[in-house]
Amino acid sequence: MSALFEPITLRSLTIPNRLWMAPMCQYSAAPEGPAEGAPGDWHFQHLAARAAGGTGLILTEATAVSPEGRISPYDLGLWNDTQTEAFRRITGFLKEQGTVPGIQIAHAGRKASTERTWVDRGAPLLPGQRYGWEPVGPSPVPFGEGFAAPAELTVAQIGEIVEQFRATARRALEAGFEVAEIHGAHGYLINQFLSPFTNRRTDEYGGSYENRTRFALEVVDVVREVWPDELPVFFRISATDWLTEDESDPREGWTADDTVRFARELREHGIDLLDTSTGGNAPDAKITTGPGYQVPFAERVKKESGLAVGAVGLITEARQAEKIVADGQADAVLLGRELLRSPSFAQHAARELGARTAVPQPYHRAV
C-alpha cells in the first residue's frame, strides 16, 4: 500500500490522496473591465488538467480579498458576483473528477502592485503608472529597491481588511470550494504583520509576539465563523524568514520557534492543517535550498504542535513524496513546479508506487 495514495479525512471532508497542488499565480486574469480578477479559460484548463491527472486537492492561486490586495493587476480576486460565478464552473469540474477544490485567500500588502513575473521580473508598478496603486502594510517599509513604501494601515483599516477576508470566504463557499486556505506566508500582508522584520508598529498590532499575531488570528476567526464546521480551513505560513538561520545577519525576523508556538494557537482557533513553506519576506535573506529543504520545518510543527501539516519545496519525485508521508514528516505534500511540468504527475506516481488513483473514463486506455 502507498501512504501517498491513502485518503485523508479532515473534519468531515475526505481527500482521496495526499498529493496536492500548491497555489501558483498565473497572472492571467483581466486587469480591468467586467471580468476583472475573474478566472477565465486559462485558469479553467490549468486547474482542470491537474484534476483530470489525479491530484487529490487543488488550491487556486492566491486570490485577493480586494483589488488593492492583489499581487499584480492580473491576479485573481473574489470580491464580486462575477468572480464568484466564474469560479463555480471550475469547482464543479474539479468535483466531477473526484478532486477537492480549495482556494487560497490573500492580501499582498507591501508586495502588491507589481508586473507579471515574466515582465521585467515582476517589477513594481508605482502609483501613477498604468494599473499601479499604492500598497499598504503594517509599517512603511518597502519590499525592496524600486518598490514604493506602503502606506501604514490604521487600526480601522485593519478591521476593514479582516472583514474583507470574511466576505471572500463567504463567496468562496458560495462558489463551491470545500477547503479555504488563509495565505500567511511569503512576505504578504499577514506574514508582514507576524514578522518583526516588517512590523515596526507600537500599537496593539505590533511589538510583542501577541500583538504581531493579533491580525492573523482575527482573520482566522472570521474565516472560521463563515466556513462550515464540517469543512477544513488551512493556514499557509513561512516557517522562517531565514534571518536567524544566518548567524552573520543581525536582523530579527520570524523564526521556526515562533511557528511552532503559533501552530498550537492556530489549532485552538480552528485551523486544521498548516501548509508549511518558508521565506519571501526578506528579499535578500540567504536561503540554502535543495530537494525537500523545507520538509524539516513541517515535520517539527507536526511533532511539536500536533497540528496536521503539508510539506512543500522541491518535491519532484514520486518516491520522495511517498517517503515524506510514509515516514510521518507530513500528512500531505503539495507540488508546485512539478505539476506545471507534468499535469498527470499523480497518475504517473500511482503507477510507479503500485497504487491506484482515479483516471477519467475517456482516458481508460492509458491505465
Side-chain angles (χ1 to χ4, degrees):
M1 295 294 292
S2 165
L4 189 63
F5 286 92
E6 280 290 305
I8 180 173
T9 299
L10 298 169
R11 297 194 180 236
S12 298
L13 179 70
T14 297
I15 303 170
N17 61 49
R18 317 296 184 96
L19 200 159
W20 303 346
M21 180 171 166
M24 289 176 283
C25 287
Q26 298 297 291
Y27 306 108
S28 298
E32 61 184 356
E36 179 183 6
D41 289 346
W42 176 263
H43 304 91
F44 180 85
Q45 70 78 29
H46 168 64
L47 300 172
R50 278 79 194 167
T55 309
L57 165 70
I58 288 178
L59 289 164
T60 66
E61 66 183 76
T63 302
V65 299
S66 69
E68 300 77 23
R70 291 174 293 179
I71 303 166
S72 87
Y74 305 93
D75 285 4
L76 293 181
L78 190 49
W79 63 79
N80 65 38
D81 292 343
T82 299
Q83 296 158 348
T84 304
E85 188 60 35
F87 272 117
R88 284 198 184 102
R89 177 188 178 211
I90 292 172
T91 59
F93 184 87
L94 266 56
K95 290 175 184 177
E96 288 175 0
Q97 310 313 308
T99 295
V100 172
I103 184 170
Q104 185 184 73
I105 56 177
H107 192 297
R110 71 176 186 152
K111 292 177 76 173
S113 190
T114 66
E115 257 293 359
R116 292 159 289 188
T117 53
W118 58 84
V119 178
D120 295 332
R121 297 185 178 181
L125 291 170
L126 299 176
Q129 288 183 275
R130 189 185 185 200
Y131 299 143
W133 66 89
E134 182 181 36
V136 297
S139 304
V141 181
F143 176 63
E145 185 177 351
F147 281 78
E152 182 169 313
L153 289 164
T154 66
V155 171
Q157 289 171 328
I158 292 170
E160 290 172 2
I161 293 175
V162 170
E163 290 306 312
Q164 289 169 351
F165 272 92
R166 184 201 300 273
T168 293
R170 184 179 291 112
R171 287 187 176 279
L173 190 63
E174 294 171 359
F177 288 101
E178 295 177 305
V179 173
E181 176 171 276
I182 299 164
H183 197 356
H186 301 160
Y188 298 115
L189 185 62
I190 292 176
N191 191 183
Q192 293 162 29
F193 271 90
L194 292 175
S195 175
F197 177 69
T198 40
N199 187 341
R200 316 287 174 82
R201 302 175 73 95
T202 58
D203 63 4
E204 63 266 41
Y205 288 96
S208 68
Y209 166 90
E210 290 79 9
N211 286 353
R212 287 184 283 108
T213 58
R214 189 183 308 278
F215 171 60
L217 292 177
E218 288 177 350
V219 169
V220 168
D221 288 345
V222 298
V223 171
R224 189 70 267 182
E225 286 173 11
V226 169
W227 213 246
D229 288 342
E230 65 270 19
L231 295 178
V233 175
F234 296 177
F235 190 97
R236 190 166 218 198
I237 198 164
S238 283
T240 175
D241 286 339
W242 290 100
L243 296 178
T244 55
E245 285 74 11
D246 182 1
E247 295 181 357
S248 66
D249 195 330
R251 296 174 296 179
E252 183 182 5
W254 182 260
T255 70
D257 289 343
D258 292 329
T259 295
V260 171
R261 179 181 177 182
F262 192 48
R264 297 187 185 114
E265 296 177 23
L266 289 172
R267 185 180 183 185
E268 293 174 359
H269 283 256
I271 290 297
D272 301 287
L273 180 140
L274 194 69
D275 181 357
T276 312
S277 187
T278 65
N281 199 32
D284 57 347
K286 296 179 182 178
I287 304 176
T288 302
T289 64
Y293 72 103
Q294 297 176 133
V295 174
F297 295 97
E299 181 179 19
R300 183 182 170 193
V301 169
K302 180 175 173 63
K303 289 181 176 178
E304 296 185 28
S305 74
L307 186 62
V309 298
V312 304
L314 295 182
I315 300 171
T316 60
E317 299 178 358
R319 296 194 182 279
Q320 175 195 18
E322 171 74 13
K323 189 174 190 306
I324 291 168
V325 177
D327 289 354
Q329 294 177 285
D331 298 277
V333 296
L334 292 98
L335 274 60
R337 291 177 178 88
E338 194 59 31
L339 273 173
L340 294 183
R341 291 185 283 264
S342 179
S344 296
F345 182 91
Q347 291 177 6
H348 299 314
R351 188 177 300 113
E352 181 177 342
L353 297 170
R356 293 181 64 85
T357 190
V359 176
Q361 288 182 338
Y363 291 176
H364 71 94
R365 289 184 296 274
V367 178

